[in-house]
Amino acid sequence: MGQNIMSLCPDKRLANRFSPHAIKEHLGTRWLGQQAIYCFDVVESTNTEANRLARQGAPEGTLIVADAQTRGRGRLGRSWVSPPGGGLYVSMILRPACRPDWFPRLTLTGGVAVASAIQQTGMRPQLKWPNDILIAGRKVGGILTEAVFHKRRIDFAILGIGINVNTERHELPISLRNVATSLRLSLGEPVSRIHLFQILLQQLEQWYEFFCAGDFETILKIWSAFDTTLGRVVEVFLPQRRLVGLAEGLESNGTLLVRDKRGRVHRIIAGDVVRCKI
Ligand code: BTN
């Protein structure tokens, strides 16, 4: 905790290059990352690549990592700007034998893993429902979870994670410069992508096992400890309308609860949440 992880990777040039060998070396996981890892210099989207591999039968835990994406995708049809050299863009193929309505829980599980990994770099990450990772109120990462359902089960799911690790300010789109950041910009020094990735894999392995065991209560407890909107006034953009109210945290299934000024509690299943400055 609090250790500068760059100091663990003295060769900064090597530390910055993704390869299955570099990722697997000293990787402290039992199964995640111990099998197939596909590393690309550039892809359209690691989620698209993961989808293709999953349809060909790639097993659970297969990882797809890219140095850059040309069409990185975010939630609600947004794009995820993915310049080379500074970001962590990764997708993980999952084949959970669980009820299909557990699918939204995967995003929250991923959020706990990402926030816990970033916390180990000495920073104080926050989570914003459902898929944002923030530092000091600015977005530093996001999660895009996609799935293919077959009959009454999840055929496969893709957990896609994007983190601005060493991204420079000028590499962020102008429109996002005041609302986004990178770990490097927040910490004031570079962070080893490989080492961060290794910590992330450890966390993903641990929290995905909680998910599979059905212990969502523990995941929610940790998620809530990182929750940036809990007890705050938020504005929620829903498909047909807008709602302002007090964020009261998450229900046991991961739904966001917002109480409006009349005292009515709304259960938010999908929407965009903005924290109000009051
Ligand atoms: C969001 O904040 O809306 C989610 C962003 C998710 C971006 C990651 S980068 C790796 C993976 N591949 C993609 O195309 N998207 C996800």
Side-chain angles (χ1 to χ4, degrees):
M1 282 281 221
Q3 187 171 18
N4 172 6
I5 63 170
M6 199 64 184
S7 64
L8 298 171
C9 293
D11 186 336
K12 294 180 186 173
R13 190 179 51 83
L14 284 178
N16 204 33
R17 187 150 177 79
F18 291 120
S19 72
H21 174 76
I23 296 164
K24 288 180 184 188
E25 201 175 30
H26 310 304
L27 177 63
T29 61
R30 277 179 291 107
W31 57 271
L32 186 57
Q34 302 294 352
Q35 291 169 344
I37 304 181
Y38 295 84
C39 294
F40 295 93
D41 285 338
V42 56
V43 285
E44 261 196 19
S45 153
T46 55
N47 266 33
T48 306
E49 210 56 46
N51 191 298
R52 194 178 57 75
L53 287 162
R55 285 176 194 278
Q56 290 169 5
E60 166 146 291
T62 301
L63 296 167
I64 298 88
V65 195
D67 184 52
Q69 298 182 116
T70 54
R71 296 182 70 177
R73 290 187 277 115
R75 206 170 65 97
L76 306 173
R78 296 184 184 126
S79 61
W80 182 260
V81 177
S82 315
L88 179 55
Y89 319 117
V90 56
S91 298
M92 173 177 165
I93 296 174
L94 301 172
R95 297 187 181 275
C98 68
R99 288 165 34 183
D101 62 345
W102 282 15
F103 170 64
R105 300 180 179 194
L106 278 174
T107 302
L108 302 175
T109 305
V112 165
V114 175
S116 304
I118 292 176
Q119 193 175 46
Q120 288 191 32
T121 68
M123 282 180 267
R124 296 181 60 181
Q126 302 154 313
L127 293 171
K128 184 162 72 65
W129 188 90
N131 72 323
D132 288 344
I133 298 101
L134 315 176
I135 289 193
R138 290 176 182 229
K139 182 152 171 166
V140 76
I143 295 172
L144 177 66
T145 317
E146 299 172 312
V148 169
F149 297 89
H150 182 71
K151 294 196 176 143
R152 296 185 62 182
R153 64 181 180 83
I154 297 175
D155 187 10
F156 65 84
I158 309 292
L159 184 66
I161 297 171
I163 306 176
N164 299 330
V165 182
N166 292 318
T167 318
E168 301 282 5
R169 194 172 142 79
H170 70 265
E171 293 176 306
L172 298 168
I174 293 173
S175 60
L176 298 182
R177 283 187 197 160
N178 290 331
V179 291
T181 189
S182 71
L183 299 183
R184 179 191 188 133
L185 289 169
S186 302
L187 198 63
E189 54 185 282
V191 169
S192 161
R193 287 191 300 178
I194 301 260
H195 194 70
L196 177 69
F197 188 32
Q198 291 173 326
I199 299 171
L200 177 61
L201 291 178
Q202 289 167 17
Q203 293 294 331
L204 282 168
E205 180 179 90
Q206 174 184 328
W207 292 110
Y208 182 59
E209 285 177 0
F210 274 86
F211 169 90
C212 291
D215 188 356
F216 193 52
E217 204 182 320
T218 304
I219 295 169
L220 275 186
K221 209 166 113 195
I222 305 299
W223 199 97
S224 301
F226 287 114
D227 186 354
T228 182
T229 61
L230 186 63
R232 308 265 185 167
V233 177
V234 291
E235 194 171 2
V236 187
F237 295 90
L238 300 162
Q240 306 295 339
R241 65 199 174 94
R242 194 181 69 98
L243 165 74
V244 175
L246 194 68
E248 295 202 328
L250 306 187
E251 217 175 26
S252 60
N253 63 357
T255 305
L256 176 68
L257 300 173
V258 176
R259 185 181 294 273
D260 68 21
K261 62 178 185 224
R262 292 196 187 133
R264 191 171 148 222
V265 176
H266 301 254
R267 299 174 65 249
I268 313 296
I269 295 164
D272 227 6
V273 179
V274 177
R275 201 176 105 180
C276 297
K277 288 193 170 45
I278 47 172

